[in-house]
Amino acid sequence: MLITENILRARRGANPSGELCLASGDVLTPAARDYIREHHIKLVWCKEDETPCAFKSGYKDNAGRRYRVKPEHMTHLYGNYLVPKTHPRIALRGKLDCLQAKVLEGQVLAEKQAERALVLELEEVLGFLRRLLACEVKEEPFEWDALLGMDEAALRKASHDPEKFCGMPFRPPSYKMGELAVCLNSLRASAREVELAAVAAFTDEGGEAVRKDILQSLNRLSSAFHILYCRQAVRKKGEWQSGHDE
């Protein structure tokens, strides 16, 4: 695995003891080597057939404690390296898991209302979330080309000008817009919560954001939910505005 400076920053945030575990097959970038020297980080190298941090005692935490059995209040951050379940990156993973569950609920609702196009759009979003979570856990870069048929710049632009791209100026959510519009707005709000959890997880001790790929992707994800909400509101506009002024 290629170990970048960003990966080291993310791991060091969970390991203030200054010791990091790497597999013998890992390769450090020049910037990562400079970061190690600057912060006096001690590296522990595992054998090729070992999982990083899979010590003879089984598990290790950031204080250097070793365990034969994983404590119930702790979980894997990577390999057999344990952190409390309250760790910011574990909290982020939980938020991502909850958001995926809510997307599935949205799909069930859309299917019941014969909104097949929305079912497929939410399936695309679900795949986006699953890939993002996998990249966070594996500490791999998250790359994507488009979401809802739009690239990063187009998503941002459309979410900022719903009147031009969706056919209606932004309107605050209302129960009158129907279950699907309310559901999509809830998904947008949940995506914001996930984004905040990611900022908490990937801000280093110097206040610098790491894993900017994840942070930017989550920002655009909330834009995608906002666009879906606006589109749904427009589709049902005649119903929820019936008897009211435009």
Side-chain angles (χ1 to χ4, degrees), residues 5-6 8-10 12-13 35 39 199-210:
E5 179 184 354
N6 278 350
L8 291 179
R9 285 178 180 273
R12 188 167 183 261
Y35 184 80
H39 294 277
V199 171
F202 293 118
T203 300
D204 66 16
E205 68 279 3
E208 182 179 346
V210 296

Side-chain angles (χ1 to χ4, degrees), residues 63-77:
R65 291 183 289 263
R66 300 184 180 188
Y67 307 86
R68 292 188 180 279
V69 178
K70 182 175 72 66
E72 291 296 327
H73 71 288
M74 304 186 82
T75 190
H76 301 267
L77 182 62

Side-chain angles (χ1 to χ4, degrees), residues 163-178:
E163 184 171 13
K164 178 179 179 180
F165 292 94
C166 301
M168 185 186 75
F170 173 74
R171 294 289 181 87
S174 167
Y175 73 93
K176 295 177 182 178
M177 293 179 175

Side-chain angles (χ1 to χ4, degrees), residues 115-134:
E115 295 279 1
R116 189 60 188 168
L118 181 57
V119 172
L120 296 177
E121 288 171 329
L122 289 176
E123 185 68 23
E124 182 183 357
V125 169
L126 187 61
F128 181 96
L129 281 166
R130 287 171 174 169
R131 294 194 308 274
L132 191 149
L133 178 57

Side-chain angles (χ1 to χ4, degrees), residues 210-242:
V210 296
R211 291 310 306 259
K212 293 179 182 179
D213 56 331
I214 289 179
L215 299 181
Q216 184 185 60
S217 298
L218 286 171
N219 192 292
R220 297 302 171 264
L221 179 64
S222 64
S223 296
F225 282 129
H226 179 62
I227 291 167
L228 289 176
Y229 155 75
C230 290
R231 287 178 179 174
Q232 184 63 27
V234 168
R235 281 198 290 269
K236 300 297 182 179
K237 183 178 178 181
E239 297 176 18
W240 62 265
Q241 284 195 333
S242 179

Side-chain angles (χ1 to χ4, degrees), residues 43-238:
L43 296 181
V44 177
W45 296 92
C46 300
K47 296 178 181 179
E48 290 284 355
D49 58 349
E50 289 182 322
T51 301
C53 298
F55 297 91
K56 291 181 179 179
S57 54
Y59 308 97
K60 186 178 181 180
D61 66 15
N62 63 352
R65 291 183 289 263
R66 300 184 180 188
Y67 307 86
R68 292 188 180 279
V69 178
K70 182 175 72 66
E72 291 296 327
H73 71 288
M74 304 186 82
T75 190
H76 301 267
L77 182 62
Y78 55 86
N80 277 17
Y81 181 85
L82 299 181
V83 293
K85 292 180 179 179
T86 54
H87 185 280
R89 283 180 63 182
I90 304 305
L92 170 61
R93 293 172 191 177
K95 291 281 188 181
L96 284 166
D97 188 27
C98 288
L99 184 54
Q100 289 179 52
K102 289 183 178 181
V103 171
L104 286 168
E105 290 175 352
Q107 284 184 291
V108 170
L109 182 59
E111 183 71 20
K112 286 181 178 179
Q113 297 191 18
E115 295 279 1
R116 189 60 188 168
L118 181 57
V119 172
L120 296 177
E121 288 171 329
L122 289 176
E123 185 68 23
E124 182 183 357
V125 169
L126 187 61
F128 181 96
L129 281 166
R130 287 171 174 169
R131 294 194 308 274
L132 191 149
L133 178 57
C135 287
E136 189 282 320
V137 172
K138 297 176 182 178
E139 298 186 325
E140 297 175 349
F142 181 62
E143 299 177 354
W144 59 283
D145 296 322
L147 185 62
L148 306 183
M150 291 175 275
D151 62 17
E152 183 271 334
L155 277 170
R156 187 173 186 274
K157 190 173 182 179
S159 68
H160 286 187
D161 193 355
E163 184 171 13
K164 178 179 179 180
F165 292 94
C166 301
M168 185 186 75
F170 173 74
R171 294 289 181 87
S174 167
Y175 73 93
K176 295 177 182 178
M177 293 179 175
E179 287 180 289
L180 273 176
V182 170
C183 173
L184 290 167
N185 180 65
S186 178
L187 285 169
R188 178 202 57 78
S190 295
R192 285 297 189 192
E193 289 185 339
V194 175
E195 183 183 356
L196 291 175
V199 171
F202 293 118
T203 300
D204 66 16
E205 68 279 3
E208 182 179 346
V210 296
R211 291 310 306 259
K212 293 179 182 179
D213 56 331
I214 289 179
L215 299 181
Q216 184 185 60
S217 298
L218 286 171
N219 192 292
R220 297 302 171 264
L221 179 64
S222 64
S223 296
F225 282 129
H226 179 62
I227 291 167
L228 289 176
Y229 155 75
C230 290
R231 287 178 179 174
Q232 184 63 27
V234 168
R235 281 198 290 269
K236 300 297 182 179
K237 183 178 178 181

